[in-house]
Amino acid sequence: MNGLMNWLEKYIIPVASKIGSQKHLVALRDAFIATMPATMAGSVAVLLNAFFRDFPTEWGWLGFVEFMKPVVAVNGFVWTGTLAIMAVVFSMTLGYNLAKAYNVDALSGAVVSLTAFFMGLTQTASTALTLDGELPKKAISMITAAGGTVTDGNVISAEAWGFFNFGKHMGGTGLFTAIIFGFIATIIFSKLMLAKITIKMPDSVPPAVAKAFAAIIPATVALYICGIINYGFTTLTGQPIIDWITETIQTPLLALSQGFGAVILIVFLVHLLWFFGIHGTNVMAPVLQTIYGSAMTTNMNAYQRKEMIPYKWVAGSFEAFVWPGGAGVTLMLIVAILIFSKRADSRTVGKLALGPGIFNINEPVMFGMPIVLNPLYMIPFILAPMATASVAYVATMAGLVNPVVVSVIWVMPAGISGFLATGGDWRAIILTLVNLGVALVIWMPFVLAANKVPLED
């Protein structure tokens, strides 16, 4: 065990520490965190509509649904301005945090990133109407002359310029494009700002005006480079780059994320880092939020639109089922200590940590027990969440519990979190209780073993 720990400390932990402090990844992580006000507001709207519209409709409470129509409509407006345009919101927060990491004007960075994302959006909307009967030839000629097309004599198709594809590009499916062009545009902007390739205004000019003028040249260069990339790609391939990114990068990565191996690897790395005192969830946030967070946003938008849920395992699945009670399912360590431990020091820490642990705050037990760098607790700390991940993965993929479709604040107690996250599936409570029981069984022998470890003077 000591040899393994020494090897990890020498070769793995330094790399993880560098990754965790790398400014581009930190900016990416903080950009996702900054979207939380919009994400949570949109999640509340989706959840309320489930209880005010979807479930009552299934139960036949049509009078209640009719009465709640104004509330449902308001929730729809909230969803439209939050989850439905999450890629737009994220492009702004990414530019802000990335420019901040380079110590240049953060607000200008947000504007540059947002603009770079919008310039790549498709601007033509199309629609098709299927008629009951076949159109006469004269009507077909009139429609064709007006710019439309008629297929099979009864399907009318038309396109119009000046419309962004709201449903296809602005939600979760646009996140990867927002990341790529946010990085390209903001890094170019920041490098030019640092190189002082700017318009210098006299000292008498107000600071806000001076900042705006200083950003003109860097922003113009950055945005023109993004424009050239978009134009060149579309000209050579005939396909908008945002669609290509979605089809060739985002979709395959999301497909890989649904595999059991990917889920277990993420869980293992998060807890291995935590064991060495490094915030594993933060270090892995670029992966958790970029891939699983994108899937989460797509699920929430599909749920709001009453479409088929595309992904069974998303970012919220980890919070709801894998580590209820905090990383390592340490809430069950606390329960095991309070039941089986004979050590006064452990029981004291357990009593103090129980309240925060119920709300998934486990720093008191992580550093007070401690679990960090404690060889006795390394195995259960990593094994318990891997076991709960396995149980939850099988249950979700087998359809024994609904996929997560609502983002729930991370301090929501275990059981309630899963119930709300799955849109009110009572089976999520059962799954959480099963996982808590599994974690308790894993932690219990190590707590009993700790009774035999002599107290240090």
Side-chain angles (χ1 to χ4, degrees):
M1 177 65 74
N2 289 334
L4 174 62
M5 290 184 63
N6 291 336
W7 183 83
L8 290 171
E9 287 180 357
K10 184 177 181 179
Y11 296 105
I12 303 300
I13 302 308
V15 175
S17 298
K18 289 181 180 179
I19 293 174
S21 59
Q22 211 283 328
K23 65 181 180 182
H24 299 92
L25 295 179
V26 170
L28 182 62
R29 180 199 70 197
D30 292 346
F32 278 109
I33 294 173
T35 64
M36 282 191 64
T39 301
M40 296 312 302
S43 299
V44 170
V46 171
L47 189 62
L48 288 178
N49 275 358
F51 285 99
F52 292 160
R53 179 192 61 196
D54 302 338
F55 294 147
T57 300
E58 293 178 8
W59 300 334
W61 298 0
L62 300 184
F64 176 80
V65 174
E66 184 67 25
F67 178 76
M68 297 305 296
K69 265 189 174 181
V71 178
V72 171
V74 170
N75 289 333
F77 280 110
V78 174
W79 169 78
T80 300
T82 54
L83 297 178
I85 58 166
M86 189 48 58
V88 178
V89 175
F90 173 80
S91 67
M92 181 182 64
T93 61
L94 176 60
Y96 182 93
N97 282 283
L98 196 53
K100 186 178 177 182
Y102 275 94
N103 294 315
V104 298
D105 184 38
L107 184 57
S108 295
V111 172
V112 168
S113 179
L114 179 64
T115 308
F117 172 71
F118 261 98
M119 70 170 60
L121 298 180
T122 56
Q123 301 171 40
T124 302
S126 59
T127 186
L129 298 174
T130 303
L131 307 178
D132 290 335
E134 188 171 335
L135 288 168
K137 292 183 178 180
K138 185 176 181 180
I140 294 175
S141 299
M142 292 174 64
I143 293 171
T144 303
T149 58
V150 179
T151 307
D152 298 330
N154 69 333
V155 180
I156 304 173
S157 301
E159 291 186 349
W161 181 87
F163 298 91
F164 290 127
N165 197 324
F166 179 81
K168 186 177 181 181
H169 294 148
M170 294 190 179
T173 51
L175 277 173
F176 272 61
T177 303
I179 291 171
I180 292 171
F181 278 93
F183 270 109
I184 293 172
T186 311
I187 289 174
I188 293 172
F189 166 79
S190 300
K191 293 287 187 180
L192 293 176
M193 289 287 288
L194 293 174
K196 304 297 183 182
I197 305 176
T198 60
I199 298 175
K200 179 67 175 177
M201 300 297 290
D203 294 338
S204 59
V205 174
V209 177
K211 282 184 178 180
F213 271 87
I216 289 176
I217 294 176
T220 301
V221 173
L223 294 177
Y224 260 89
I225 290 175
C226 291
I228 291 170
I229 293 172
N230 276 283
Y231 173 78
F233 187 91
T234 304
T235 302
L236 292 173
T237 67
Q239 181 183 27
I241 195 168
I242 189 170
D243 290 338
W244 182 84
I245 290 172
T246 300
E247 294 170 9
T248 62
I249 299 177
Q250 183 167 346
T251 300
L253 283 176
L254 287 172
L256 287 174
S257 75
Q258 300 301 292
F260 178 70
V263 172
I264 288 296
L265 179 61
I266 291 292
V267 174
F268 172 77
L269 292 175
V270 164
H271 290 83
L272 178 64
L273 294 172
W274 259 119
F275 176 77
F276 285 94
I278 300 172
H279 200 300
T281 312
N282 280 353
V283 173
M284 297 303 296
V287 176
L288 283 168
Q289 295 302 324
T290 302
I291 299 177
Y292 290 101
S294 175
M296 180 82 183
T297 302
T298 303
N299 271 14
M300 288 190 287
N301 288 334
Y303 185 69
Q304 168 67 16
R305 296 192 292 257
K306 298 183 180 179
E307 298 172 353
M308 184 179 71
I309 305 303
Y311 300 106
K312 290 194 173 183
W313 195 270
V314 297
S317 304
F318 293 97
E319 297 285 353
F321 302 123
V322 176
W323 45 70
V329 203
T330 49
L331 179 61
M332 290 299 98
L333 166 62
I334 296 170
V335 172
I337 285 172
L338 296 178
I339 296 175
F340 301 107
S341 180
K342 297 178 181 179
R343 295 174 59 105
D345 58 338
S346 295
R347 293 183 64 83
T348 299
V349 173
K351 290 176 183 178
L352 293 173
L354 179 60
I358 292 174
F359 296 96
N360 306 314
I361 301 170
N362 67 344
E363 278 78 3
V365 70
M366 287 293 298
F367 299 101
M369 190 62 62
I371 295 174
V372 171
L373 295 177
N374 185 336
L376 178 63
Y377 285 148
M378 178 181 184
I379 294 175
F381 181 73
I382 296 176
L383 182 60
M386 291 181 72
T388 56
S390 301
V391 173
Y393 183 88
V394 171
T396 304
M397 295 299 170
L400 301 178
V401 65
N402 289 341
V404 170
V405 292
V406 176
S407 180
V408 179
I409 189 168
W410 67 273
V411 293
M412 189 68 66
I416 300 175
S417 175
F419 176 75
L420 295 177
T422 54
D425 186 354
W426 62 269
R427 298 173 298 178
I429 300 175
I430 304 300
L431 175 58
T432 303
L433 292 175
V434 169
N435 273 351
L436 290 174
V438 169
L440 179 61
V441 170
I442 291 173
W443 276 110
M444 184 175 61
F446 294 89
V447 172
L448 293 172
N451 290 332
K452 301 177 183 180
V453 177
L455 293 173
E456 296 182 2
D457 297 330

